[in-house]
Amino acid sequence: MGEQTINLSKVKGEFKKKVEEMLPEGNFNLCLACGTCSAGCPATGLEGLDPRKFLRMILLGLEEEAISSPWVWMCSMCQRCIYACPMQIDIPGLVYEARATWPREERPKGIRGSCDMALKHDTCSAMGASEEDWRFVVEDVLEEVQETQPQFKDLQAPIDKEGAEFFLNQNSREPVTEAEEMVPLWKILHVVGADWTYGSKGWGAENYCMFLADDEAWEHIVRVKVKAVEDLKCKVWLNTE
Ligand code: SF4
Ligand code: SF4
């Protein structure tokens, strides 16, 4: 991840306009410089920045430096700063807009790659797992548990069960790299008698396209997932991420 090659002066005016729209009453001076946002931020200190400094740089006309800092990719979008801020300033929203100014091909490879993988199949798996791969792994792991753990011989891990109450998403990494990690949740749902299902589509829980600040791809992923839930007529969408 390097410095942006984009001519930042071209996006500078546009970015500042978006920032003004996002700040309460469009007022830059609402920030009290109290630093409460930075105190609980997991990205504080990385690349010599923190949310307060990031905002202050924009206020002081240093938005080119703020936008182009790799720090904008270190914000986890956890939103702690918004809750802590006495003025409810939407720092992650500003970070998102800063990310969106980067040319897509210069955004971090890991996040970009995971977004692109999720766009490959309607599974939305950030690891690029197809519907066939997904079904094979779930059925294989389930069979092994049923055969080796007598107390769970009736365990179920349904896929595409129409009308189930809960539609469950799954972290994309688990079926690919640590499939047995899916089992504890199946057992909990079994013990409490929950009526649940996975979808063959839309089960990937993450949305790296959001973290990539790719609006179009982000929307596509959400729409695929919503459609999967609606097609199965499930009442509740459970996303564990
Ligand atoms: S949303 Fe970003 S800036 Fe705010 S606390 Fe979380 S990591 Fe820090
Ligand atoms: S918590 Fe809010 S008011 Fe205080 S420095 Fe951070 S953004 Fe400014």
Side-chain angles (χ1 to χ4, degrees):
M1 186 166 61
E3 294 288 303
Q4 285 189 82
T5 55
I6 191 174
N7 181 351
L8 279 163
S9 59
K10 282 188 183 167
V11 297
K12 191 174 170 180
E14 200 177 320
F15 177 71
K16 189 125 183 181
K17 194 162 157 274
K18 281 193 173 160
V19 170
E20 282 168 353
E21 284 166 7
M22 292 173 70
L23 287 175
E25 301 164 31
N27 186 352
F28 278 84
N29 294 321
L30 279 177
C31 173
L32 307 170
C34 63
T36 312
C37 52
S38 303
C41 169
T44 284
L46 301 176
E47 297 290 333
L49 274 183
D50 58 52
R52 182 182 66 91
K53 274 192 195 167
F54 176 70
L55 183 63
R56 301 308 294 177
M57 284 171 77
I58 297 167
L59 304 192
L60 293 169
L62 298 171
E63 64 261 43
E64 287 189 21
E65 289 83 346
I67 290 170
S68 59
S69 168
W71 184 81
V72 301
W73 297 102
M74 294 166 188
C75 162
S76 64
M77 300 276 166
C78 66
Q79 308 214 359
R80 275 189 211 172
C81 50
I82 301 180
Y83 288 109
C85 174
M87 309 311 288
Q88 275 85 53
I89 292 174
D90 183 2
I91 302 269
L94 303 180
V95 168
Y96 184 91
E97 294 301 339
R99 290 180 182 185
T101 68
W102 286 53
R104 195 180 195 280
E105 66 279 8
E106 291 181 21
R107 298 177 197 180
K109 203 174 156 191
I111 304 176
R112 183 162 39 95
S114 295
C115 170
D116 290 343
M117 281 290 185
L119 294 169
K120 273 177 72 174
H121 302 285
D122 278 354
T123 58
C124 301
S125 162
M127 300 288 283
S130 67
E131 290 177 35
E132 294 72 28
D133 294 342
W134 165 238
R135 191 176 287 279
F136 173 80
V137 171
V138 169
E139 290 175 356
D140 190 49
V141 172
L142 177 66
E143 197 178 308
E144 188 178 333
V145 174
Q146 289 170 333
E147 284 175 2
T148 59
Q149 301 181 36
Q151 70 275 39
F152 287 106
K153 64 179 172 25
D154 298 324
L155 187 71
Q156 295 298 311
I159 296 179
D160 290 341
K161 180 182 171 192
E162 202 172 315
E165 182 158 11
F166 300 105
F167 182 102
L168 183 66
N169 280 162
Q170 182 70 51
N171 179 288
S172 298
R173 184 170 293 279
E174 284 164 358
V176 176
T177 62
E178 42 197 16
E180 67 286 353
E181 291 296 315
M182 301 189 291
V183 177
L185 185 52
W186 298 353
K187 288 181 175 175
I188 291 169
L189 293 167
H190 175 75
V191 169
V192 300
D195 177 21
W196 71 281
T197 188
Y198 285 128
S200 54
K201 300 178 194 298
W203 55 265
E206 321 81 358
N207 193 337
Y208 282 95
C209 301
M210 177 193 78
F211 291 108
L212 190 66
D214 182 336
D215 283 345
E216 204 178 314
W218 176 8
E219 180 177 343
H220 171 80
I221 295 290
V222 172
R223 286 191 182 282
V224 171
K225 292 180 184 182
V226 169
K227 185 172 184 308
V229 178
E230 289 182 347
D231 283 352
L232 289 179
K233 301 181 179 64
C234 296
K235 293 190 189 72
V236 181
W237 179 4
L238 285 181
N239 193 326
T240 52
E241 291 297 308

